Amino acid sequence: MEHHADLIVIGAGQSGLATAALAPRHGFPRTLVLDAAEQAGGSWPRYYDSLTLFSPARYSSLPGMRFPGDGDRYPTRDEVVDYLRAYARRLDAKIHASATVTSVLPRDGAWAVRTQDGAEFAARAVVAASGAFHSPYTPDVPGSAEFARQSLHAADYRSPEPFTGRRVVVVGGGNSAVQIAAELGTVTETTLASRRPIGWMKQRPLGRDVHWWFKHTRFDTAPLSRLLEKMPVSVLDDGHYRTALDTHGVERREMFTRLTPDGVVWADGAKKPVDAVIWATGYRLTHPYLNGSGALDADGRPRHRGGIATVPGLGFVGIEFQRSFSSNTLRGVGRDAAHVLTQLSRSR
């Protein structure tokens, strides 16, 4: 049996939920959300236990529902998960959980969507909002195949306790790498390896959170995606993490050149035995269910402009720097969703 809708949204994380919430006011009254997980929340439930947002609660809301509590506090991972699930319960859209989408193909001027369990759906428009955090990226470093110690991506890291007393190298120069290295430093010998020195950005310049400045200077919404993609990563900090790294003796070193069976070789040729390497090296955007749709290039990257696919009736929400600096953030996905829905509505 085929199920019909005006719009199918793939993914029930922040991007998909924001899209579903705005869909009715853009001419899509019957919206269906398909999500592979058992509950809404996207990738948030799988992040490490101590994760805290770098944006205050007042700048972390989806359309139509304020993030609860003191607007100046920095919400935790679990608070974000609770917020997203409460948001999902308020939607008019129907959410199909445990529905892994396997194919999205054009058919007779519409889209045919199939899930892993064989269910079939059809809609005039589809928004791919499955997020950018489902495919962890680990660089191919010489010696990786011979490394016999523990190697895991930050996506599989939860807390420092299992690493107590072990020698750990955290690879990366972004917020996650710094947060993980800082808390590991409290229980074990930790080194932070990155290709360039950590770029620190003050959390509260001139007494205002940096997100206040982003909003009031309009940097948050400026169409600078090409420039932003080339900018080096900066770590937002009020001084806490920088102090923690120093206090706990976490050393920052230039990225190692290779792995050995029991450790790493640094750029100066020195060898260091290690017990674990944690790769805080980001993710790769993937939409395997769009293979054959004409919406991906030869490398599997989406063909789009500001989230509007090159094939009619298809849009993307949740791509980093999709239209601005705040794209793919809690505060920014609503703007991108509204833009994509407006264009999809006009093309019907």
Side-chain angles (χ1 to χ4, degrees), residues 282-302:
Y283 299 77
R284 290 294 180 264
L285 184 67
T286 58
H287 297 92
Y289 51 82
L290 289 177
N291 289 332
S293 68
L296 306 177
D297 65 16
D299 296 320
R301 295 174 299 203

Side-chain angles (χ1 to χ4, degrees), residues 14 29 69-70 177 203 207 216 219 241 284 304 318 345:
Q14 60 196 36
D70 180 0
Q203 182 80 54
H216 289 275
F219 177 75
Y241 291 108
R284 290 294 180 264
H304 74 101
S345 180

Side-chain angles (χ1 to χ4, degrees), residues 12 19 68 213 233 275 328:
T19 303
W213 294 102
V233 174
D275 300 302
N328 200 30

